[in-house]
Amino acid sequence: TVTLSCRQELFNANVCLESSFSIYVTSYYAPRTMSIVSITTEEEFKNFLQGGTPCAVHFWAPWAEQCKHMDNVIAELARVTPSFKFGKVEAEELSDISQSFDISAVPTVIVFQNGKKISRVDGADAFSLTKIVEAHKGTVVPENPKTSTNVQERLPELINAAPVMLFMKGTPDEPKCGFSRKIVGLLRDNDIKFSTFNILEDEDVRAALKVYSDWPTYPQLYVAGDLVGGLDIVQEMIDNGQIQELLPKAESLEDRLKSLINRKDVMVFIKGTPDAPRCGFSRSIIGILRDIQGLDFGYYDILGDEDVRQGLKKFSDWPTFPQLYKNGDLLGGLDIVKEMQSSGELESTLKG
């Protein structure tokens, strides 16, 4: 086991270990050199994003020293990852593109597939970028990937995923904007249990929820499926004591878990979302489910809810994720799902 350094030259890292910062690394020689595309117009940017090959775009500025460091990292990633496309945009020169992706600082790297943003790295974080590239390398997604439900059907499920749901930029432990950081602090300081959804990982949800809620900014807090508001309103309600009146009566974790595993006939608990899975096992099981024609399934991102993440392991007596359920009964993880697929049992079991 080797801890991955951002300066390591040759590597092939597979990451999906629970709560781990060390990864397995296999060094290999990759003689093929991939060029980094310099994008200078909006038309070039649109053309670069086309197709199912994953691509990473580095938003940079010539005056920022950290951008030079990321250039070196990206050059090495391009050399050892020929299945990925890499490009760079001078953020201040193409300001309209930068603003459309909320680029407020450089360096920032955004990863796309089929023209959709699937991940983002803010700052000179070589380790995070390497993990994302490793997670998505070699995956070519069709232009119109199958989805279990459209975004309008997903939104009610998401806002009702927990009694108190916060849609934010980033995660509670790693918020990606000041407003999200402040609202997480308010909720924690007042002992309010909440679950979160990272809107930076799902551009469809990010755009659609603004229209659905008629609320143009993030974060957004929901209680029992109803919008409370953003940071200012939550701060005001906490200050005057109104927030406690909105909170539902405490539900036991066991009751929550029973409700979640029965939310749909087929439920999968994964890391991330179906369109932006956060580990290879989650990506694989989503691919298997989407290959079953006509299968409607629900999902739950356990990375946004530590209570569910830890509680479900004990509840199901299954120590890892993903976990697949049918009618509230655990079928198993990825290995069992693959066995059922190979034997021909999976489709009949899930549709039965």
Side-chain angles (χ1 to χ4, degrees), residues 13-291:
N14 297 310
V15 183
C16 196
L17 295 179
E18 185 88 357
S19 303
S20 174
F21 291 96
S22 295
I23 65 179
Y24 290 102
V25 176
T26 304
S27 295
Y28 65 99
Y29 176 65
R32 183 178 176 184
T33 300
M34 299 297 290
S35 61
I36 300 172
V37 179
S38 182
I39 300 167
T40 59
T41 67
E42 291 191 19
E43 187 65 25
E44 289 177 357
F45 181 76
K46 291 178 182 177
N47 291 337
F48 184 76
L49 300 189
Q50 289 180 354
T53 302
C55 53
V57 178
H58 176 203
F59 290 84
W60 70 286
W63 45 262
E65 194 67 28
Q66 286 186 320
C67 291
K68 296 178 183 178
H69 168 66
M70 288 304 283
D71 278 341
N72 293 334
V73 173
I74 290 170
E76 184 61 27
L77 285 172
R79 189 173 73 83
V80 300
T81 320
S83 59
F84 230 85
K85 295 193 299 183
F86 294 88
K88 58 189 300 185
V89 169
E90 189 170 345
E92 293 170 335
E93 290 296 315
L94 296 181
S95 57
D96 288 344
I97 293 176
S98 298
Q99 289 175 10
S100 69
F101 290 102
D102 294 331
I103 305 298
S104 57
V106 292
T108 295
V109 180
I110 299 181
V111 179
F112 299 88
Q113 197 160 33
N114 283 332
K116 289 178 55 179
K117 184 178 73 174
I118 58 175
S119 197
R120 175 183 179 127
V121 176
D122 292 289
D125 188 349
F127 181 71
S128 294
L129 178 59
T130 300
K131 289 203 299 181
I132 291 168
V133 171
E134 286 293 325
H136 292 281
K137 71 175 185 179
T139 61
V140 178
V141 178
E143 292 288 347
N144 296 303
K146 293 179 282 184
T147 54
S148 58
T149 53
N150 65 46
V151 68
Q152 293 300 324
E153 292 173 333
R154 288 177 59 205
L155 293 179
E157 294 179 15
L158 290 172
I159 65 177
N160 287 282
V164 181
M165 275 296 297
L166 176 65
F167 291 80
M168 61 178 288
K169 294 181 179 181
T171 65
D173 292 329
E174 295 183 9
K176 296 299 185 182
C177 78
F179 297 134
S180 293
R181 181 177 296 105
K182 288 179 181 178
I183 201 168
V184 166
L186 285 173
L187 296 175
R188 284 177 167 174
D189 289 346
N190 287 270
D191 295 323
I192 297 173
K193 289 189 174 183
F194 62 97
S195 297
T196 64
F197 186 91
N198 181 4
I199 52 96
L200 295 179
E201 292 190 343
D202 195 318
E203 194 63 32
D204 290 340
V205 170
R206 180 179 187 173
L209 191 59
K210 295 179 183 179
V211 178
Y212 182 91
S213 63
D214 195 21
W215 196 270
T217 59
Y218 291 98
Q220 295 182 17
L221 184 70
Y222 290 77
V223 174
D226 294 325
L227 175 68
V228 174
L231 174 61
D232 290 342
I233 290 179
V234 172
Q235 175 74 73
E236 182 180 342
M237 295 186 72
I238 286 177
D239 290 343
N240 62 29
Q242 288 180 310
I243 194 74
Q244 295 298 332
E245 299 174 9
L246 288 180
L247 298 177
K249 292 182 179 179
E251 181 183 31
S252 72
L253 179 58
E254 184 174 352
D255 287 341
R256 272 197 70 202
L257 296 176
K258 288 179 180 178
S259 176
L260 285 173
I261 63 177
N262 285 285
R263 184 190 291 171
K264 281 200 165 185
D265 288 349
V266 179
M267 278 292 297
V268 62
F269 292 78
I270 60 175
K271 294 179 179 179
T273 69
D275 291 328
R278 296 290 297 275
C279 81
F281 298 143
S282 294
R283 180 177 300 105
S284 294
I285 202 168
I286 290 297
I288 291 171
L289 296 178
R290 282 179 165 173
D291 282 342

Side-chain angles (χ1 to χ4, degrees), residues 310-330:
Q310 300 303 330
L312 195 59
K313 294 178 184 179
K314 296 178 181 178
F315 181 86
S316 63
D317 195 24
W318 196 269
T320 58
F321 291 97
Q323 295 183 15
L324 182 65
Y325 290 78
K326 168 65 176 176
N327 294 331
D329 294 325
L330 176 68

